[in-house]
Amino acid sequence: MGVQGITEDDIANYLAHTPGFFERHAELLATIQLTSPHGQRAVSLQERQMEMLRERIKGLELKIVEMIRNGQENVAIADRLHRWTRAILLTADAAELPEVIVRELKHEFLIPQAALRVWGVVDAWRHLPFAQGVSDDVRSFTASLGLPYCGLNSGFEAAQWLDDAHTVTSIALVPLRHGAVEAGRGAIGLLVLGSPDPTRYSSDMGTEFLLRVGEIASAALSRLVQP
């Protein structure tokens, strides 16, 4: 192959597979000039390498800062979930559980509106507000939920349980189950979270946290339902 047939890829491949080239031709390193990414001035190969290393270190620093921030947010969420769970465990009167669950959930996680209903409760508590106004459609819909629903409020019947339902644009519906997590089994209630912010509960958000909230609330509210 003649000189005219040599491509830049051929040269790059040769240098990559000939590590001793610049050791034998060290004088070339001092003569190589590159364009700085921060202007049109020419810089030496060593200086260009230093700039690349600085950029790489800066990128790593940003990733570390992001990891620290995410870790701090996770710790804060865990602390809020701990306080909410503790408030539930300290509730001696089972009839007060629905109010405590909703009130403390709104307080700890800054949720604008929240409500829940429980069905199949024992006779002593059937007259209380949390056991009222649950239609067969709501029960069937809850039983069909395999995961919490998050998205726009498209006129869900359960949204009417909220204090100011007409202002709610996004909603989360968390099924409550007794002794079973599979869809269609053991549904004992529904937790409704609402917000005027249309992006607060979006259809593409993760539901892992809401699942945990639903499991904790379900375990507590199982004290209210008939065996």
Side-chain angles (χ1 to χ4, degrees):
M1 183 190 317
V3 174
Q4 292 182 346
I6 298 176
T7 66
E8 291 183 354
D9 290 338
D10 294 330
I11 297 173
N13 185 64
Y14 172 79
L15 293 175
H17 292 84
T18 313
F21 176 83
F22 285 110
E23 293 178 2
R24 296 189 297 273
H25 302 277
E27 71 281 358
L28 289 176
L29 292 175
T31 63
I32 295 176
Q33 297 289 310
L34 303 172
T35 301
S36 172
H38 306 296
Q40 296 302 313
R41 66 186 182 89
V43 297
S44 67
L45 179 61
Q46 293 92 334
E47 188 175 351
R48 182 68 180 96
Q49 288 176 322
M50 288 299 296
E51 290 177 347
M52 292 175 63
L53 286 173
R54 291 191 192 99
E55 292 173 358
R56 185 175 300 177
I57 291 172
K58 184 177 180 180
L60 292 173
E61 288 175 344
L62 291 175
K63 289 183 179 180
I64 292 173
V65 170
E66 181 69 13
M67 291 174 61
I68 293 174
R69 185 181 65 82
N70 289 337
Q72 291 173 337
E73 290 180 353
N74 289 337
V75 170
I77 291 173
D79 287 343
R80 295 187 186 105
L81 187 63
H82 170 80
R83 290 192 295 268
W84 177 67
T85 305
R86 183 176 182 274
I88 293 173
L89 293 174
L90 290 173
T91 303
D93 187 347
E96 296 179 359
L97 282 170
E99 179 184 354
V100 172
I101 289 172
V102 169
R103 184 187 69 235
E104 296 302 318
L105 197 62
K106 291 169 62 177
H107 171 70
E108 292 293 345
F109 297 97
L110 304 179
I111 299 172
Q113 298 189 56
L116 67 78
R117 293 290 187 275
V118 185
W119 46 87
V121 301
V122 297
D123 293 341
W125 295 311
R126 286 185 180 177
H127 66 285
L128 296 177
F130 62 79
Q132 308 302 313
V134 182
S135 69
D136 291 338
D137 288 341
V138 169
R139 298 189 187 197
S140 298
F141 172 74
T142 303
S144 70
L145 287 176
L147 294 171
Y149 167 87
C150 296
L152 295 177
N153 178 20
S154 56
F156 289 102
E157 180 181 341
Q160 299 305 312
W161 302 343
L162 300 171
D163 293 335
D164 198 7
H166 74 279
T167 65
V168 172
T169 57
S170 67
I171 197 169
L173 304 172
V174 184
L176 306 173
R177 306 189 186 284
H178 183 200
V181 296
E182 298 85 356
R185 292 186 56 195
I188 63 168
L190 182 65
L191 173 64
V192 183
L193 311 176
S195 173
D197 180 359
T199 64
R200 175 71 183 266
Y201 303 108
S202 59
S203 59
D204 59 349
M205 70 181 294
T207 58
E208 187 68 23
F209 173 74
L210 292 177
L211 278 171
R212 297 293 174 262
V213 168
E215 289 173 356
I216 295 171
S218 297
L221 293 170
S222 63
R223 296 166 57 189
L224 299 173
V225 301
Q226 297 183 16

